Amino acid sequence: MQLLSTAEGDIRRAAEAIKAGLLVAFPTETVYGLGADAFNTAALARVFAAKGRPRFDPLIIHIAALEVLDRLADLSALSPELREKTALLADRLWPGPLTLILPKRPAVPDLATSGLPTAAIRFPNHPAALALIRLSTGAVAAPSANLFGRLSPTRAEHVRDQLGEKVEFIIDGGRTVVGVESTVLDLSGGGIPRILRPGGVSREALEILIGEVAFPGPAGVSLAPFSSGQSGPLSPGQLKSHYAPRTPLSLHSPEAMAALPYTPGEIYLFFSPTTRDPWLAGQTRQGVTLPLGSVRVLSPCASTQEAAANLFDLLHELDHLNASRIRTEEAPLVELGPAINDRLFRAASK
Ligand code: TXA
Ligand code: MG
């Protein structure tokens, strides 16, 4: 494995590697991706093998020009209304952290879509990713560049630690900005568009543009956002145990978190100072001494965007502290809160 910069010469080298069927990890605005030519089945097979990912879990195909969408997806198979919504989303939210599930063209390899009649397509908002896609084959399949089930990578170092031996190149673009994966929105179902995975674009932002969006999971309940219940997972990748640090993790409601006693060896990750400070004051009153670094916040400004940006980065960091458990507080159920809680819920399910 070789680390590359985001300089043009380096991106060109990486693009040649993709054209040659090799794997390149690259930054996007959400998390790092493990990229391969979307039309090269041997390269796609290598992606599944490198991650240890089951082949029933399809990949997202990344594009860097709207014209390519037509080569991958058959929009004529959609109702006029859904076609209009697709066009509006692509126009307003691409490039950005939104993946659209659309009827696929026969040319898209079955390996990329796990044999489904649909393809997942995303136009990422990151200069290095866009240059890499344009200079290679125009369509780069890329799952998050982590081992299957583990924490998603928000820095090149995270990719190196998990996949270092298995990729040709890692493009180091520094820490990612959004911090959680794209929102996966299914437009292929015929009815109202449906969120299969909450992510970097909020439900609110989608509904402003296209009206009602289905969001499976008990309304108002942040835990168990999707139980991958009855008839198999909605989105094949939405398995319960996922995004997991090696340190055991528990997820608590704000009320439960506020009432937690301190247990030595554990780490307490509050959403913001608003919930942390009363808890700290309570510990001080009881004469508890807390080791430095054992009480943290996801968002100093109490914003779900900031919390999302810090989420995986902090979990990677806390996972190195040899704590006996990480106790996390749920995010509020607005904006990127559901995406954060979805990741934490899966990280906690062992
Ligand atoms: O932000 C992201 O989306 C990142 C960056 C690298 O772009 N990628 C990412 O890929 O998160 P991955 O493979 O970790 O997650 C893809 C998700 C999985 O849950 C998968 O099941 C779902 O998208 N998916 C892919 N194709 C699908 C399809 N045809 N129908 C339903 N779900 C699909
Ligand atoms: Mg992933």
Side-chain angles (χ1 to χ4, degrees), residues 28 30-33 51 53 57-60 62 99 101 113 116 118-120 122 142-144 180-182 184 196-197 234-238:
T28 78
T30 58
V31 301
Y32 277 72
K51 275 187 66 101
R53 176 175 177 130
D57 188 357
L59 306 176
I60 295 174
H62 296 65
T99 294
I101 306 295
T113 64
L116 293 171
T118 53
R122 153 159 146 79
S144 49
V180 290
E181 294 86 344
S182 60
V184 177
L196 301 184
R197 176 179 73 183
L234 283 170
S235 187
Q238 291 300 88

Side-chain angles (χ1 to χ4, degrees), residues 72-74 77 101-106 110 113-120 188:
L72 303 171
D74 181 8
I101 306 295
L102 295 164
K104 84 174 191 84
R105 296 264 186 210
D110 280 335
T113 64
S114 300
L116 293 171
T118 53
S188 73

Side-chain angles (χ1 to χ4, degrees), residues 113-333:
T113 64
S114 300
L116 293 171
T118 53
I121 301 162
R122 153 159 146 79
F123 194 147
N125 188 13
H126 191 289
L130 294 174
L132 178 72
I133 297 163
R134 283 196 195 110
L135 292 170
S136 58
T137 60
V140 172
S144 49
N146 51 287
L147 290 169
F148 184 68
R150 296 269 297 277
L151 288 175
S152 298
T154 48
R155 295 176 189 266
E157 293 79 7
H158 299 156
V159 183
R160 189 198 52 206
D161 292 348
Q162 289 194 32
L163 297 173
E165 302 312 306
K166 296 169 179 162
V167 294
E168 230 49 49
F169 295 114
I170 301 174
I171 300 173
D172 187 350
R175 194 181 134 157
T176 62
V177 173
V178 175
V180 290
E181 294 86 344
S182 60
T183 298
V184 177
L185 183 71
D186 186 4
L187 289 143
S188 73
I192 53 172
R194 158 148 128 148
I195 294 177
L196 301 184
R197 176 179 73 183
V201 172
S202 68
R203 176 188 188 171
E204 292 92 317
L206 293 172
E207 291 193 328
I208 286 170
L209 285 177
I210 60 167
E212 194 189 351
V213 163
F215 190 76
V221 177
S222 51
L223 295 178
F226 309 87
S227 59
S228 57
Q230 310 84 344
S231 50
L234 283 170
S235 187
Q238 291 300 88
L239 303 170
K240 243 185 103 202
S241 180
H242 219 117
Y243 309 112
R246 274 161 295 189
T247 311
L249 184 143
S250 308
L251 181 57
H252 304 278
S253 68
E255 299 72 33
M257 194 80 178
L260 278 181
Y262 172 70
T263 305
E266 296 188 342
I267 292 176
Y268 297 79
L269 180 55
F270 286 86
F271 179 71
S272 75
T274 316
T275 46
R276 176 199 58 191
D277 292 348
W279 185 83
L280 275 180
Q283 300 307 315
T284 309
R285 273 197 303 276
Q286 293 167 46
V288 175
T289 339
L290 298 157
L292 211 63
S294 60
V295 182
R296 310 291 291 266
V297 294
L298 263 180
S299 171
C301 299
S303 106
T304 59
Q305 270 82 5
E306 185 184 46
N310 288 334
L311 178 69
F312 285 122
D313 217 49
L314 252 173
L315 290 179
H316 276 284
E317 183 192 327
L318 300 182
D319 203 17
H320 281 110
L321 302 181
N322 292 316
S324 55
R325 182 167 292 276
I326 303 169
R327 296 198 178 272
T328 58
E329 179 186 1
E330 279 176 49
L333 284 173

Side-chain angles (χ1 to χ4, degrees), residues 36-41 44 71-72 107-109 137 139:
D37 175 7
F39 288 101
N40 181 333
T41 49
L44 296 176
R71 270 174 50 207
L72 303 171
V108 177
T137 60

